Amino acid sequence: MAYLGNVPAEKYISFERQVFTIVNSQTAYTLDHSVTNENDIRLVVNNVVQEPGSGKAYTASGTTLTLSAALVNGTDEMYCVFLGRAVGTVNAPAGSVSTSQLAGDAVTEAKIADGAVESEHLNNNVISGQTALASEPADTDEFLVSDAGTLKRIDYSLIKGGGATELLHTATGSNVSSIDINGYFTSDYDHYKLIYSVYAATSNTDTMVRIMEGGSVITASNYWFAGQAWYYDGSTSQASQAVGFNTNYIGISSTDGTADSRYPTTGEIILSNPLSTSHITSLTTNSIGYNSVSPPTAIRTWNYAGAYNNPGTATSGISFGYMGGNIHGTIRLYGMKNS
């Protein structure tokens, strides 16, 4: 008889029989040939054909035969006949397996060689198709980096920037008695920088700061300060000074204040040792201001140094204001790293 397709590996074959040696209390036995399931063999115990299947007399898979109940050596006999044993193995031709022959999710990680997935197998939506962060990453968010060719992950906390200074707080106010920054001093820093841009609700007044303790503004006469200005109106330049000893504020600019948002007093303050109880809190500042008319007709620059003479008490904050009237503006507090 003619055949279509591959010629069978065997044309004629007889069923093979395997006799088992019974082991007391044992339910698992090894088959001489691998089978797909229990239906590939006929099992005979004590000359009685057994019913195959789960919950029946026996199951089989590969080379393992499993009985539902153990037999007794010397009393019971058991043999099987291989009904569907494969008589040959034929590999599929190279290139003959296509996508349609593979079940969904059939290729597991264990079947993919290490290093086999390279850039040509990755679409650009691996990254662009994911949800984008709308804010700075959390410290525990992770990035992938190549460490001498080895891919590793690293927390954002280990690579984020910040430089020598870090923004700690921004305070704003509009026509208020003071703009306060309180509760942001920590042991992480010994020195702080404040950048300010303020203007007075009333012209021709002095810009001042006061120390806060426990969240309260200190108005006692414990402040010292000294400052010098350089004034120029386009034709005349002159120096002036301002001082205070045991006053109830620290001056940082004098006779400025145009009451005009277009001409604020701007500058920076370096604040030292605010949390120290063994040193007094001190500051230095420089600023630019204008004479009090609006629009101004002269420019002025101030350099001040001041101190709050009350050792033994930690400073919790700093308060900005004007000697006459309310204040408008923005103050930003930065911590200056110790190393």
Side-chain angles (χ1 to χ4, degrees):
M1 172 178 181
Y3 288 90
L4 293 176
N6 294 331
V7 177
E10 298 283 349
K11 292 183 178 179
Y12 305 103
I13 188 168
S14 61
F15 295 120
E16 185 173 337
R17 179 172 176 266
Q18 178 182 349
V19 178
F20 297 92
T21 300
I22 302 300
V23 179
N24 290 334
S25 303
Q26 179 175 305
T27 58
Y29 291 84
T30 300
L31 298 170
D32 289 345
H33 304 286
S34 179
V35 298
T36 302
N37 55 50
E38 57 272 7
N39 295 317
D40 284 350
I41 63 173
R42 180 174 70 240
L43 185 68
V44 180
V45 176
N46 298 329
N47 296 318
V48 177
V49 176
Q50 305 296 301
E51 182 178 5
S54 177
K56 307 299 182 180
Y58 68 96
T59 60
S61 178
T63 59
T64 300
L65 167 67
T66 304
L67 305 179
S68 60
L71 302 178
V72 178
N73 185 25
T75 301
D76 297 317
E77 297 179 344
M78 179 175 68
Y79 70 89
C80 77
V81 176
F82 291 93
L83 303 176
R85 181 169 67 86
V87 296
T89 300
V90 178
N91 291 327
S96 65
V97 177
S98 65
T99 301
S100 61
Q101 274 81 52
L102 295 175
D105 297 326
V107 180
T108 63
E109 181 182 356
K111 299 299 182 180
I112 301 174
D114 293 345
V117 179
E118 297 185 354
S119 59
E120 65 267 23
H121 301 296
L122 298 176
N123 197 311
N124 60 6
N125 64 6
V126 169
I127 295 177
S128 62
Q130 307 307 311
T131 302
L133 284 176
S135 60
E136 183 180 4
D139 282 353
T140 54
D141 285 349
E142 295 179 334
F143 294 82
L144 289 178
V145 298
S146 177
D147 181 8
T150 300
L151 201 61
K152 296 181 179 180
R153 55 191 176 88
I154 186 171
D155 279 357
Y156 175 65
S157 62
L158 299 176
I159 60 174
K160 68 179 181 179
T165 61
E166 182 175 354
L167 178 63
L168 303 179
H169 183 64
T170 299
T172 60
S174 179
N175 200 28
V176 293
S177 60
S178 65
I179 300 176
D180 301 339
I181 294 180
N182 181 68
Y184 295 94
F185 300 145
T186 71
S187 59
D188 293 336
Y189 312 96
D190 292 332
H191 306 282
Y192 297 82
K193 177 182 286 189
L194 296 109
I195 306 296
Y196 58 90
S197 179
V198 296
Y199 67 98
T202 303
S203 62
N204 196 24
T205 184
D206 297 350
T207 314
M208 65 174 186
V209 296
R210 289 188 171 107
I211 295 303
M212 302 178 72
E213 291 180 353
S216 298
V217 178
I218 303 301
T219 58
S221 299
N222 293 77
Y223 299 97
W224 305 338
F225 68 89
Q228 187 171 18
W230 191 261
Y231 171 99
Y232 185 64
D233 63 5
S235 59
T236 302
S237 63
Q238 63 184 35
S240 61
Q241 63 181 21
V243 296
F245 199 79
N246 290 336
T247 61
N248 64 3
Y249 69 96
I250 295 174
I252 60 173
S253 74
S254 180
T255 61
D256 287 342
T258 63
D260 190 331
S261 61
R262 297 174 297 171
Y263 306 104
T265 298
T266 59
E268 66 178 14
I269 292 176
I270 302 298
L271 183 67
S272 301
N273 304 311
L275 292 182
S276 175
T277 57
S278 58
H279 299 86
I280 64 174
T281 299
S282 61
L283 62 85
T284 57
T285 180
N286 59 78
S287 65
I288 182 174
Y290 310 90
N291 61 344
S292 58
V293 298
S294 184
T297 59
I299 189 171
R300 190 195 316 268
T301 178
W302 279 100
N303 295 285
Y304 271 87
Y308 173 59
N309 185 25
N310 189 29
T313 304
T315 296
S316 66
I318 188 167
S319 175
F320 284 72
Y322 279 98
M323 291 297 296
N326 286 347
I327 185 174
H328 302 259
T330 300
I331 299 101
R332 289 183 171 84
L333 173 69
Y334 296 84
M336 303 178 67
K337 294 182 179 178
N338 294 332
S339 61

